[in-house]
Amino acid sequence: MLREVVPKRTKMWWHYPALRTLNLLLICAIVTDVTNGYDGSMLNGLQIIESWQEYFNKPTGSILGVISNGTRFGQVGSLFVSATLIQRFGRRKPIAIGSLILLVGVILQTAAVNTAMFVVGRVFIGFGNGIQATACPILVAELAYPTQRTQITGIMNSTGSLGSLLAATITFGTSYLGASTWSWRLPSLLQAMSSILQLIMSFYVPESPRWLVYNNRREEAWQILAKYHAEGDEDSELLKFEMEEIDAAIAREKSQSLTSWMEWFRTPGNRHRFFIVLTIGFLIQWCGNALISYYLGILLKTIGITDQKSQLIINVGININGMVWGNFFSLWIERVGRRPMFFMGLSGMFCAFLILTVVTGINQSTGFHNTSASQASLAMIFVFGAFYKMAGPVCPSYVAEVSPYDLRAKAFVINGFADAAANVFNGFTNPIGMVALGWKYYIVWCCVLVSNFFLVYFFYPETKGLSLEEVAIKFDKDQADIFESEPGQAEAVDAPLEVGEEK
């Protein structure tokens, strides 16, 4: 098994030159969620800035929903081309293509003279970011050092909090520009920062070894793995193990021509994979987080906090909270396991939202004169954010792990569709629900969190400590003989993992 051939290293990863270089180059993919996090936090900040409200005629209801969902519309559109781009051109080039499209969107959004132009810019941003968000986690999953795969993917997910923090800080600062349109144009322009970095670094980061093997460029894949995973040692047992597994998996998938979308429904294992890949996109977006991500201003008003500067400061604090906890929990995914992280995260979010619901109801009944209730509500927003970052970083690596190579790009398209669909729903429903029901709307998300817990319990198996190819055995009983035929890999075949079993 993988854990038996990984060399025992006594120093931290940065002491190994090739591994240090690899991890620095992977920043190209790691920062992809900065744009997504920046967008939600920026829109929160802009809704609090009076000059933006005046320039766009104080949008509410469905108009605000269209503005919020502009990036989501673009992300949905990108799903129709992302898989083709990634399968045909590899993982690196689509990152560059997505970055260029996003930069066009930033220019349109910054220069907007009306609501329509602002929305069109946001659609371009979403389209470009959708391509990035599909390619980047695949590149990380297929290129990162095996024992660091989940941590790096988790950190990649938590960079959304870095983007949120940047946007919250920037909008707080530009709010002092008063009536000038640069109070909202400057935050819009600075949304380009991470994509400019990605565009530059995409020319230097290595290509996925699995994509190279699939496209008959095995020697290049060998050299990349030898350099970055084995520190140049071509006799490394880890290098041999990785190449044997990749060769066997790619040969099997090529022999079965796993290229059609209908392949998801051909076997019980693939149907199970499809269910996980689809539902996990909804699960992590349908837990109440969108209320805090996109409608913080409305939410804070329901707990009696209406001052603009106070709301902006709280927005900054929430994003610092998310960034710290996101990076912390990312380092524990491999040690704790995926299912425990999901369970603890969802349970904590439920408890926080339940308390938020109760204390906000009490506070509203007193006309928001109960200072203790307001403080408790605010505290629960921070607690919720911490537990959200326990479950959130697991998702990208889990999608990559449960998907076989030739369906991996399609898996992230399906997951991206679910994510975008959930966010479109949130974008239209949340502002209406918040206005119509106030704090009672939180009850809906308490119920959804309970259903999410049971979804994970019954359908999401553990993948801790396994290579991408070994995880396939957990879903495909009939493929065990493929791996047994490879030298030294018979021990990689465990009994098929039943859902609910912990590895």
Side-chain angles (χ1 to χ4, degrees):
M1 293 184 70
L2 175 64
R3 63 180 66 126
E4 296 173 1
V5 296
V6 173
K8 306 296 182 184
R9 291 179 166 176
T10 57
K11 300 178 182 179
M12 297 298 290
W13 61 268
W14 53 79
H15 291 287
Y16 300 91
L19 183 56
R20 180 174 63 245
T21 301
L22 175 62
N23 287 345
L24 291 175
L25 290 173
L26 282 173
I27 290 175
C28 171
I30 291 171
V31 300
T32 190
D33 205 41
V34 168
T35 297
N36 205 27
Y38 188 102
D39 186 73
S41 182
M42 181 192 73
L43 201 60
N44 260 333
L46 296 187
Q47 290 177 71
I48 299 170
I49 293 174
E50 189 62 30
S51 66
W52 184 86
Q53 289 283 357
E54 293 294 335
Y55 197 89
F56 294 103
N57 301 314
K58 298 184 177 181
T60 59
S62 61
I63 299 299
L64 181 57
V66 170
I67 293 174
S68 300
N69 280 323
T71 52
R72 303 305 174 188
F73 297 147
Q75 286 171 347
V76 171
S78 73
L79 299 178
F80 294 98
V81 300
S82 293
T84 302
L85 287 174
I86 292 167
Q87 290 175 321
R88 185 169 184 176
F89 298 110
R91 284 55 168 135
R92 299 166 57 214
K93 290 181 181 178
I95 295 174
I97 293 169
S99 298
L100 286 171
I101 295 172
L102 192 150
L103 293 175
V104 172
V106 168
I107 293 171
L108 290 172
Q109 178 180 258
T110 303
V113 296
N114 53 42
T115 301
M117 186 173 176
F118 192 80
V119 171
V120 170
R122 291 178 59 72
V123 171
F124 271 87
I125 290 171
F127 193 92
N129 186 235
I131 297 173
Q132 293 173 325
T134 305
C136 289
I138 299 176
L139 180 62
V140 169
E142 295 178 350
L143 183 60
Y145 193 73
T147 58
Q148 295 182 344
R149 184 183 69 235
T150 52
Q151 292 95 325
I152 293 176
T153 309
I155 290 172
M156 180 184 70
N157 181 268
S158 67
T159 58
S161 296
L162 174 60
S164 297
L165 176 60
L166 288 171
T169 305
I170 290 167
T171 52
F172 177 75
T174 60
S175 68
Y176 286 95
L177 295 176
S180 171
T181 60
W182 281 104
S183 63
W184 62 266
R185 291 189 194 276
L186 185 56
S188 297
L189 179 63
L190 293 176
Q191 192 167 5
M193 291 185 295
S194 60
S195 289
I196 291 173
L197 175 63
Q198 287 183 276
L199 179 61
I200 294 170
M201 295 195 68
S202 65
F203 292 97
Y204 300 98
V205 68
E207 185 53 86
S208 160
R210 288 167 174 83
W211 184 82
L212 292 171
V213 171
Y214 192 85
N215 287 274
N216 302 313
R217 295 162 63 180
R218 188 179 186 279
E219 182 60 28
E220 291 178 57
W222 175 277
Q223 293 299 326
I224 288 172
L225 291 177
K227 178 178 180 179
Y228 293 108
H229 287 194
E231 294 290 328
D233 180 9
E234 296 195 359
D235 294 320
S236 164
E237 291 300 316
L238 173 62
L239 173 61
K240 295 175 183 177
F241 179 87
E242 286 188 289
M243 288 304 301
E244 286 174 356
E245 282 208 322
I246 292 171
D247 286 340
I250 297 300
R252 171 175 62 83
E253 292 173 21
K254 279 190 173 182
S255 70
Q256 296 182 357
S257 299
L258 305 185
T259 57
S260 169
W261 286 91
M262 294 307 296
E263 180 61 31
W264 285 106
F265 308 102
R266 189 178 65 85
T267 67
N270 281 355
R271 290 193 291 272
H272 187 184
R273 289 182 174 106
F274 177 83
F275 179 80
I276 291 173
V277 167
L278 181 67
T279 57
I280 202 170
F282 286 98
L283 179 144
I284 205 59
Q285 297 300 338
W286 279 0
C287 55
N289 61 303
L291 292 179
I292 298 171
S293 298
Y294 279 83
Y295 302 103
L296 180 64
I298 298 174
L299 187 149
L300 291 176
K301 288 176 182 177
T302 69
I303 63 175
I305 300 174
T306 58
D307 176 67
Q308 173 180 303
K309 290 297 186 287
S310 296
Q311 290 183 355
L312 287 168
I313 291 171
I314 290 170
N315 191 23
V316 173
I318 286 171
N319 289 296
I320 293 174
N321 180 65
M323 185 177 68
V324 170
W325 287 113
N327 285 291
F328 175 77
F329 288 130
S330 295
L331 302 177
W332 288 88
I333 297 173
E334 191 61 33
R335 297 184 184 183
V336 176
R338 285 60 161 165
R339 283 167 59 85
M341 294 289 280
F342 274 129
F343 291 147
M344 290 186 287
L346 290 168
S347 299
M349 283 188 278
F350 170 76
C351 292
F353 234 98
L354 182 62
I355 296 171
L356 175 63
T357 303
V358 173
V359 296
T360 302
I362 294 172
N363 199 9
Q364 193 173 72
S365 68
T366 63
F368 298 111
H369 295 305
N370 189 326
T371 305
S372 297
S374 293
Q375 292 174 344
S377 296
L378 185 58
M380 286 306 104
I381 292 174
F382 280 83
V383 171
F384 175 90
F387 280 104
Y388 179 77
K389 289 301 180 180
M390 181 177 284
V394 181
C395 297
S397 61
Y398 197 71
V399 171
E401 288 168 346
V402 303
S403 307
Y405 169 81
D406 206 45
L407 293 177
R408 197 163 291 141
K410 293 180 174 68
F412 277 94
V413 169
I414 294 167
N415 181 255
F417 170 80
D419 183 279
N423 276 296
V424 168
F425 176 87
N426 289 339
F428 280 110
T429 304
N430 285 340
I432 296 172
M434 291 289 287
V435 171
L437 300 176
W439 66 270
K440 295 178 183 177
Y441 184 59
Y442 304 161
I443 298 172
V444 173
W445 295 109
C446 290
C447 296
V448 173
L449 282 163
V450 172
S451 67
N452 288 347
F453 183 94
F454 287 106
L455 178 70
V456 173
Y457 182 82
F458 287 110
F459 297 106
Y460 289 28
E462 182 58 76
T463 58
K464 175 184 175 182
L466 302 176
S467 70
L468 294 176
E469 286 71 31
E470 286 173 333
V471 174
I473 304 302
K474 302 300 182 183
F475 289 88
D476 301 316
K477 302 177 184 179
D478 58 333
Q479 298 303 324
D481 59 318
I482 297 291
F483 285 84
E484 287 176 343
S485 65
E486 293 295 321
Q489 294 195 34
E491 66 270 25
V493 182
D494 300 335
L497 183 66
E498 300 296 330
V499 175
E501 177 188 347
E502 302 293 342
K503 179 72 180 177

